[in-house]
Amino acid sequence: MERATLLEIIDDLGHGVTPDLTVEDFPCFAEDAAGDNPHLSPAVLDRIAAGLGRADIPTFERALRAMDEGDLAWIGFKVVVDGDAAVSNVDNEVTKKYGDVGSADGQDLVFFCNDAKEIVASRPYSPRDTFQMKDVTRGPSMHNDQFAGLTWASVALFDQVEVWIVGASDAAVETAALAKHVGFRVHVIDDNEAFISEDRFPEVDRILLGDFRELFDIKPAANAYVCVLTRGHMHDPEGCLWGNANKAHYIGMMGCKGKNNRVHDLCIEGGMTEEQWEAVKRPIGLKFGAKTPAELAIAIVAELIDVRYKQNYSQEARDRHEQSLGR
């Protein structure tokens, strides 16, 4: 989401003009993102845009402020499939009860929600709506179609965390695909065109180097995550030194203790301190017996998710979450 997009939407609504909502800005309505869901499509996004008016300006203004403040916040969409069913839907026998009212009305709605549970919308919403507004944004987004007559979607107002995969190894292939799937912005770097091909790394950013000395000309975003997965570990020292030089929030490297000892010596010779070396996660990934490239990718991306979670939430918030899960 771009700040300029929100400003343009606010300006259009203020002048009584239907804003142009595109799938580039709201990718949850893109055909590849919606998958087989017939209720999320570019045509539905156009329908929602046509229903917006001046009353929706505070929703987008609040979204703009959240973006400026770096808040964990989302723009959400209530997408009505059947208005009568949406209003008359009822609680099921398994989950928490939300009262006798279904959705507040049978109309599409754009709303703002942040992780502090603040909601801004142009019309009233029911307790059942509130549950789904929170769930589709800060929550797991697993219950979007729990109640009849409507579905839910959202777009984050904060940037995706950048994951830089140094090396186009087989483990990198699996890691790139899985990291993208769980919401990271993925870049892969290698010096061999055959290994960093589009067939091996579709739908992620690929950077072909002449040689790994060119790695130091690349500047990742602040607080990026660096996964050092070079083929044969040949360029692991360069990957660690590059991540350290760019103050990456996380650096992880594969490899056994003996190989890591040699990489250690080369990194220290390259200017890293012992403290900086100790900050490199090695071997990369959570420990649960992963061995194959696909298994290693699960271990690596699980660790990236955990790092992102701890980066975004305070210890107090994490403790509350763990308590809510009964752990």
Side-chain angles (χ1 to χ4, degrees):
M1 174 64 65
E2 297 292 335
R3 188 177 190 277
T5 299
L6 295 176
L7 287 170
E8 187 173 348
I9 291 171
I10 293 167
D11 185 67
D12 285 342
L13 293 176
H15 288 88
V17 176
T18 297
D20 183 22
L21 306 188
T22 69
V23 295
E24 288 75 26
D25 294 316
F26 301 96
C28 53
F29 290 93
E31 292 179 358
D32 58 342
D36 296 328
N37 189 337
H39 309 307
L40 298 177
S41 68
V44 172
L45 183 59
D46 289 341
R47 183 188 80 202
I48 291 172
L52 295 174
R54 287 185 173 87
D56 294 286
I57 291 176
T59 299
F60 291 99
E61 288 180 332
R62 183 63 186 90
L64 184 65
R65 180 158 66 88
M67 182 175 285
D68 289 343
E69 294 173 350
D71 193 6
L72 285 175
W74 296 259
I75 288 179
F77 299 87
K78 168 187 165 184
V79 180
V80 175
V81 177
D82 182 323
D84 292 337
V87 173
S88 61
N89 66 45
V90 297
D91 291 320
N92 59 56
E93 294 302 318
V94 177
T95 58
K96 179 180 176 180
K97 304 305 178 184
Y98 293 95
D100 298 326
V101 179
S103 185
D105 60 38
Q107 303 175 52
D108 297 326
L109 180 67
V110 180
F111 62 92
F112 165 90
C113 185
N114 64 8
D115 195 63
K117 306 179 184 180
E118 176 189 357
I119 295 174
V120 178
S122 61
R123 300 193 310 279
Y125 40 90
S126 69
R128 206 167 294 154
D129 287 331
T130 302
F131 157 68
Q132 297 212 271
M133 286 173 165
K134 293 176 181 177
D135 185 74
V136 77
T137 54
R138 67 179 182 86
S141 302
M142 293 190 297
H143 312 113
N144 299 345
D145 301 289
Q146 181 169 333
F147 300 108
L150 72 171
T151 190
W152 301 79
S154 68
V155 174
L157 292 167
F158 48 92
D159 291 336
Q160 292 176 305
V161 174
E162 285 192 355
V163 169
W164 291 80
I165 300 176
V166 182
S169 60
D170 290 344
V173 171
E174 302 285 353
T175 300
L178 187 54
K180 182 181 186 302
H181 185 62
V182 298
F184 290 101
R185 184 178 178 185
V186 181
H187 312 265
V188 183
I189 305 171
D190 202 87
D191 64 348
N192 189 306
E193 187 173 7
F195 281 92
I196 201 172
S197 67
E198 185 174 3
D199 287 341
R200 283 168 62 82
F201 294 98
E203 300 181 354
V204 302
D205 180 39
R206 296 173 292 116
I207 300 175
L208 177 63
L209 304 175
D211 63 61
F212 266 87
R213 288 175 296 184
E214 297 174 3
L215 179 63
F216 294 89
D217 296 329
I218 300 171
K219 299 298 179 185
N223 292 321
Y225 300 175
V226 174
C227 301
V228 182
L229 308 176
T230 68
R231 290 174 289 110
H233 311 298
M234 293 182 293
H235 299 288
D236 286 6
E238 293 97 315
C240 292
L241 287 165
W242 175 74
N244 181 71
N246 285 284
K247 297 181 173 57
H249 181 78
Y250 166 93
I251 305 171
M253 179 186 71
M254 266 203 306
C256 62
K257 182 177 180 181
K259 189 272 296 183
N260 284 345
N261 287 339
R262 181 56 183 150
V263 176
H264 160 270
D265 294 344
L266 292 170
C267 285
I268 297 301
E269 290 174 14
M272 286 179 70
T273 65
E274 291 290 348
E275 183 179 9
Q276 290 167 338
W277 169 252
E278 287 302 320
V280 176
K281 177 61 166 57
R282 55 190 201 280
I284 191 172
L286 300 183
K287 296 180 180 179
F288 52 75
K291 292 184 179 298
T292 69
E295 291 171 347
L296 289 167
I298 293 171
I300 292 167
V301 176
E303 183 163 85
L304 298 181
I305 292 169
D306 188 50
V307 171
R308 180 174 62 181
Y309 171 56
K310 291 174 180 176
Q311 185 179 8
N312 284 338
Y313 294 93
S314 67
Q315 184 63 55
E316 180 183 0
R318 301 200 305 270
D319 290 344
R320 286 198 307 269
H321 178 62
E322 293 298 303
Q323 185 177 11
S324 73
L325 296 175
R327 296 198 292 235

